[in-house]
Amino acid sequence: MKLISEIREAWGWVGIEPVEIVGENDFGNLIIRDNAEKYWRLCPEDVYCEVIAKNRKELDALSIDREFLVDWNMSALVDAAKANVGPLADGRKYYLVIPSVLGGDYDISNIKSVPLTELIRFSGDLAKQICDLPEGAQIELKIVD
């Protein structure tokens, strides 16, 4: 239930009313069922949370869609992360230190592990800050203690 609260707090601004997490991968991507029986994908490395299926039937169709499964499983990247970062401890996920939307590469030099709750909070906060920017906009990151 704590994870549902984290999702609601970090990503509620996109309109999601999370009820249940029905899937997760090693990079903290989540498939979330909402209160209207729609299914959302929260993708921290690309900082988005959007509807991927309007009902269970559409979700079931995705579960056999090869393109979706390759993207979801991220097998080669997960294998590289396990070999270089190490296996995941409970509650932790791999992540792109510099998210792809900020120019970060899907490369082992840009991968670490982090608690899933921090990944959800960070990606939601970043997404909210950049959601209205046009493609290619220049941004300035400020680190605040």
Side-chain angles (χ1 to χ4, degrees), residues 8-137:
R8 185 176 294 112
E9 192 170 312
W11 286 95
W13 62 273
V14 298
I16 187 171
E17 288 290 338
V19 171
E20 176 186 20
I21 298 167
V22 297
E24 65 181 77
N25 71 19
D26 285 343
F27 271 83
N29 284 231
L30 303 173
I31 297 178
I32 306 153
R33 181 175 57 85
D34 74 5
N35 64 344
E37 301 298 319
K38 293 181 290 187
Y39 294 85
W40 299 63
R41 180 175 181 177
L42 192 161
C43 183
E45 72 272 7
D46 293 332
V47 295
Y48 71 78
C49 184
E50 61 189 31
V51 174
I52 58 169
K54 295 177 188 146
N55 53 48
R56 184 62 197 213
K57 183 177 179 181
E58 287 184 10
L59 182 66
D60 290 344
L62 278 178
S63 74
I64 58 172
D65 180 278
R66 180 162 168 64
E67 186 177 328
F68 176 80
L69 292 173
V70 167
D71 182 57
W72 175 259
N73 291 320
M74 306 169 81
S75 298
L77 202 57
V78 168
D79 290 345
K82 283 180 183 174
N84 290 282
V85 178
L88 290 169
D90 284 345
R92 294 183 73 87
K93 298 293 181 182
Y94 301 116
Y95 77 108
L96 298 183
V97 176
I98 301 171
S100 67
V101 297
L102 299 182
D105 292 326
Y106 283 84
D107 182 80
I108 197 61
S109 64
N110 191 36
I111 297 173
K112 303 267 187 249
S113 76
V114 67
L116 179 56
T117 54
E118 287 182 29
L119 186 56
I120 289 169
R121 282 188 224 126
F122 172 76
S123 62
D125 184 51
L126 177 59
K128 188 174 184 180
Q129 291 183 56
I130 66 172
C131 69
D132 294 327
L133 296 178
E135 183 84 22

